[in-house]
Amino acid sequence: MRMFKITACVPSQTRIRTQRELQNTFFTKLVPFDNWFAEQQRIMKMGGKIVQVRLATGKSGTNTGLQ
């Protein structure tokens, strides 16, 4: 199974109304290839930005005809 290691930055949901600046939260997580699109949509809906995507396990080029 292919797993992607993603690093993303999302605005913090706590204390947004009490402070003028947004507190950004960076996180790194492993996401299976099958859930990649849903995870990408979730981050974008939260107002976040995906900083980096790497292939953590599996072969690059699988299912793309590049073997």
Side-chain angles (χ1 to χ4, degrees):
M1 171 183 259
R2 285 188 293 171
M3 300 282 283
F4 292 122
K5 181 178 176 183
I6 64 167
T7 303
C9 173
V10 293
S12 176
Q13 297 298 322
T14 59
R15 295 185 286 162
I16 288 178
R17 291 185 180 95
T18 59
Q19 293 178 344
R20 294 189 145 232
E21 72 276 355
L22 288 175
Q23 299 291 324
N24 289 328
T25 304
F26 284 88
F27 65 90
T28 301
K29 67 188 292 188
L30 286 173
V31 179
F33 178 75
D34 298 336
N35 298 340
W36 164 243
F37 186 72
E39 184 67 26
Q40 182 183 12
Q41 294 297 316
R42 185 184 71 80
I43 292 170
M44 294 298 175
K45 281 183 182 177
M46 289 172 53
K49 182 178 179 183
I50 296 173
V51 179
Q52 185 178 40
V53 178
R54 286 190 179 174
L55 184 64
T57 60
K59 285 192 219 171
S60 63
T62 305
N63 299 335
T64 58
L66 298 174
Q67 288 183 349

